Each structure stands twice: as C-alpha cells, then as structure tokens.
Amino acid sequence: MKYEFPVTKTKNPKSKPDPNNLPFGKLFTDHMFIMDYDEGKGWHDGRVVPYAPIALDPAAVVFHYGQEMFEGLKAYKNVNDGSVQLFRPDMNAKRTNRTNNRLCIPEIDEEMYVEAVKAVVRADADWIPEVKDTSLYIRPFIIATEPTLGIHASSSYHFIIILSPSGPYYPNGLEPTKLYVEDTYTRAAMGGTGEAKCGGNYACGLKAQVIAQEKGYDQILWLDGREQKYVEEVGTSNAFFVIGDEIVTAPLRGTILPGITRDSCIHALKAAGYKVSERLLPIDEVCEAYDNGDFKEMFASGTAAIISPVGELRYKDKVMNINDGEIGPIAQMLYDKIYGTQIGMVD
Ligand SMILES: *Cc1c(COP(=O)(O)O)cnc(C)c1O
C-alpha cells in the first residue's frame, strides 16, 4: 500500500452504545486519525491514536480567525456480506481540496485522504452499527494551529478524523420537516465562502436558525444573499422542489454547497426519467405554483439525513402545506435508492 499509518490501540476501550437508540453525532469511537502540517515539511505523521482531547495553544489561528474546514461521510456494513462500505469518499477528498483552496489551507493528496479515512474506520469497524437507518458518521476536519494573532494563513495545521456511531439525523426519521424561509439574514454572498464546507458558514447562520426554531420550525430555507429572491439551500442540506413535472434545485454558482447527495439525487432522478433543472428558482414562483396546485413535493438532501421530506414551508405570512404534510413518492424513491446503495441492497 502506498500509504500506511501507524495504529496505537486504546488501552481503555469504551462500551458500545445500544444500536437501537443512537443519537446523531453525540457518541464517539475509541480511535481517531490525526496528521500534522508544517510549512516546509508538508503533511506528515499521519497516525491512528486513541480518541482523546487535543491540546492547542490559546493563540492558535483557528480560535481567532476561524481558519477551519470540515467534511461528513458515512460507513455502513454491507447487508449481504458484512463488508465495510464507504459512500463516495473520493468526492469528499476532492471537495476538501476545493474548500482548502478557498480558505488558504494546504491541499491534501486525495488518495492519502481516502486511505486515512479507511485506516481509522478499519480500527473502529466493530463500532459500525447495523440496525436500519444507523451508520458510522465520519467527520474529517482541519484546523489552523499556528500560535499568532497576526492575520495570515497559518503555517501549521491538524487534519483530524473522528467517528460517531449515529442514528437518524432527525429523531423522527423520514417524517416531513417544517421549514422557515429566511428573509432577514443571509448565509452566503456571491464571492463568499458559500460553496466551501467551513464552520464560519454555520456560525453566521445560527441566529436565524434559533429564531426559526422559536417559531416552531425545524430548519431554514435560505434565499440568495443579494436579492433574497431565489431559493438556495436548507441548513445542512441542498433543496429540491417538484413543480409540475419539473424537479428544480439551485445551480452551483458559488453560494451553495455542492452536495454529494445532491449529485446522487440528480443522477438517480435523470436515470428514472425525470426532468431535472439546476436553475434559479424565485420563491415567488414557488408560492405561485402552490396557489395553482403545481407545488407537489419538496425535500432536502445531505449525507446526515440522506433525504429529508418537507411537509410545511413558510414564507413571510404564507404557510404552504406540501403533499398534505406527508412524504412524497419522489423523496421516498430517492431515499430507498440511495440508502439501498449505501448498505449494498441495490446498485
Ligand atoms: C454538507 C452540506 C450539504 C450536503 O452535502 P452532502 O455532500 O450531500 O452531505 C449541503 N449544504 C451545506 C451547507 C453543507 O454543509
């Protein structure tokens, strides 16, 4: 193998959680992967070590200027032969480098990245839950560690991968969610970091999220940052609208995250013969379609929940009840297809 990483096994393995009762992203396995970057040396010393807190200098760049990025993917046990399956990890490696480029973080060899994910998942393979709708959620991330208060790209970094045996992202699984269309705050502007997967995009969205939750909504549907006219994406996922016989999702023009699940959805829908458009969709068009009875279905796509149907969408004072608050046939088909592929049930 081109890349091999030393493994230090934990001396104190934790007891495994009940796979029938797993929260999302709250429990962590016995090991983690860590690799360092230093200017002049490049990325070095990738290793699998016992899961533990890390010590950082309080002046580390990440604490002051937020130079950090993250990824998310999942591992499953194949239902037929028990082998470990990762879902499209090369796509996460590629996206990491696009994010890194935007945030002036040094790129990582993509083959090495995938091997690092495999190495830590292998060390904790017995943590992969096998109950329906559970998985081992994998969180790679990079933080800037140089201790300096001057603003410039850090000269040192940690690349870390942690693993979390997880149940469904939404406690009620495929039950439709309620979304609030945000018309005050914005998440991303043209030329900003909307297409990079970084903590900063989330920090600036928290306020709107809290207000929406106080009003009884699960998540936000963001509008574009310039005119607050076009629909963009939903919290941690991409948005799809079924309008008449067209399925519409926002185009990749720098302000939304290029979701891997979004890409899988577009391919699956086209293969099934649907008309899919990546185009600007004004929120007013969605409202009109609702009034005409053409707004058939809405769902969000992302690694965490895979497909999350939307049962209610509120824009200003207009409350749109979608598909009688039930999961629609297209959302169900996509969930079955993508989840089925992930666990090895369908190809
Ligand atoms: C991660 C993420 C998504 C979904 O991407 P996937 O690759 O499908 O998991 C969508 N929007 C945002 C803002 C994200 O951070």
Side-chain angles (χ1 to χ4, degrees):
M1 232 190 299
K2 197 163 152 200
Y3 298 104
E4 277 201 71
F5 306 106
V7 178
T8 308
K9 285 271 182 183
T10 180
K11 293 197 177 66
N12 303 301
K14 300 175 219 173
S15 57
K16 306 272 189 310
D18 173 5
N20 291 301
N21 220 342
L22 286 174
F24 184 89
K26 289 190 199 291
L27 305 169
F28 298 95
T29 62
D30 283 328
H31 300 91
M32 62 185 190
F33 176 88
I34 182 161
M35 179 164 71
D36 308 318
Y37 178 93
D38 287 284
E39 215 163 73
K41 233 174 144 178
W43 289 105
H44 63 91
D45 287 304
R47 61 219 182 258
V48 175
V49 295
Y51 186 94
I54 50 172
L56 288 178
D57 193 294
V61 168
V62 64
F63 296 134
H64 306 277
Y65 309 121
Q67 199 191 6
E68 77 87 43
M69 66 76 59
F70 69 93
E71 269 298 331
L73 67 160
K74 285 176 170 177
Y76 298 85
K77 286 262 175 83
N78 184 301
V79 284
N80 302 310
D81 60 10
S83 61
V84 176
Q85 298 207 159
L86 295 171
F87 188 64
R88 310 182 75 186
D90 52 312
M91 299 278 285
N92 298 90
K94 281 200 185 73
R95 190 168 64 191
T96 292
N97 279 338
R98 286 203 301 273
T99 298
N100 285 7
N101 184 278
R102 179 66 181 80
L103 299 176
C104 300
I105 296 171
E107 294 192 358
I108 296 182
D109 180 277
E110 287 165 16
E111 203 184 323
M112 176 160 74
Y113 185 103
V114 173
E115 287 305 321
V117 170
K118 287 184 183 168
V120 65
V121 169
R122 206 177 292 125
D124 281 332
D126 54 351
W127 281 84
I128 303 176
E130 293 177 61
V131 171
K132 187 174 179 300
D133 300 330
T134 64
S135 64
L136 186 68
Y137 183 78
I138 305 168
R139 167 54 57 88
F141 63 104
I142 301 173
I143 51 175
T145 56
E146 184 185 343
T148 172
L149 299 182
I151 299 195
H152 59 85
S154 178
S155 61
S156 60
Y157 299 85
H158 284 324
F159 170 46
I160 302 174
I161 306 172
I162 54 176
L163 308 172
S164 176
S166 291
Y169 185 74
Y170 292 106
N172 301 328
L174 275 178
E175 201 171 294
T177 53
K178 290 168 70 177
L179 301 188
Y180 188 85
V181 183
E182 178 56 48
D183 61 355
T184 304
Y185 299 101
T186 59
R187 171 188 171 273
M190 292 290 264
T193 55
E195 67 183 342
K197 207 165 173 76
C198 60
N201 288 341
Y202 283 90
C204 74
L206 283 177
K207 181 84 181 163
Q209 167 85 20
V210 166
I211 294 171
Q213 277 168 349
E214 280 168 4
K215 291 181 175 154
Y217 289 84
D218 299 297
Q219 281 277 358
I220 289 202
L221 172 66
W222 293 104
L223 299 177
D224 74 282
R226 185 183 289 168
E227 298 176 79
Q228 297 204 314
K229 178 174 173 188
Y230 302 107
V231 300
E232 291 218 312
E233 61 178 321
V234 179
T236 56
S237 42
N238 296 109
F240 287 81
F241 299 78
V242 182
I243 295 185
D245 63 359
E246 184 189 18
I247 303 174
V248 189
T249 192
L252 302 179
R253 51 174 197 155
T255 54
I256 66 164
L257 210 280
I260 295 165
T261 320
R262 173 188 181 278
D263 182 71
S264 297
C265 286
I266 292 173
H267 279 100
L269 289 168
K270 285 187 176 164
Y274 289 99
K275 179 182 173 205
V276 186
S277 309
E278 296 176 61
R279 67 165 173 94
L280 293 176
L281 175 63
I283 184 69
D284 287 342
E285 185 184 331
V286 175
C287 295
E288 265 166 47
Y290 180 76
D291 292 339
N292 297 336
D294 286 337
F295 185 13
K296 307 268 190 240
E297 247 188 84
M298 178 179 176
F299 50 89
S301 73
T303 294
I306 309 179
I307 297 292
S308 171
V310 178
E312 182 183 318
L313 183 67
R314 174 167 167 187
Y315 178 52
K316 299 187 193 285
D317 288 331
K318 190 178 181 75
V319 175
M320 292 175 264
N321 193 287
I322 308 163
N323 197 40
D324 291 327
E326 302 287 329
I327 181 169
I330 297 177
Q332 185 72 55
M333 180 279 281
L334 283 172
Y335 182 82
D336 293 344
K337 166 85 183 134
I338 296 173
Y339 180 63
T341 307
Q342 290 171 336
I343 61 172
M345 263 185 2
V346 293
D347 10 84

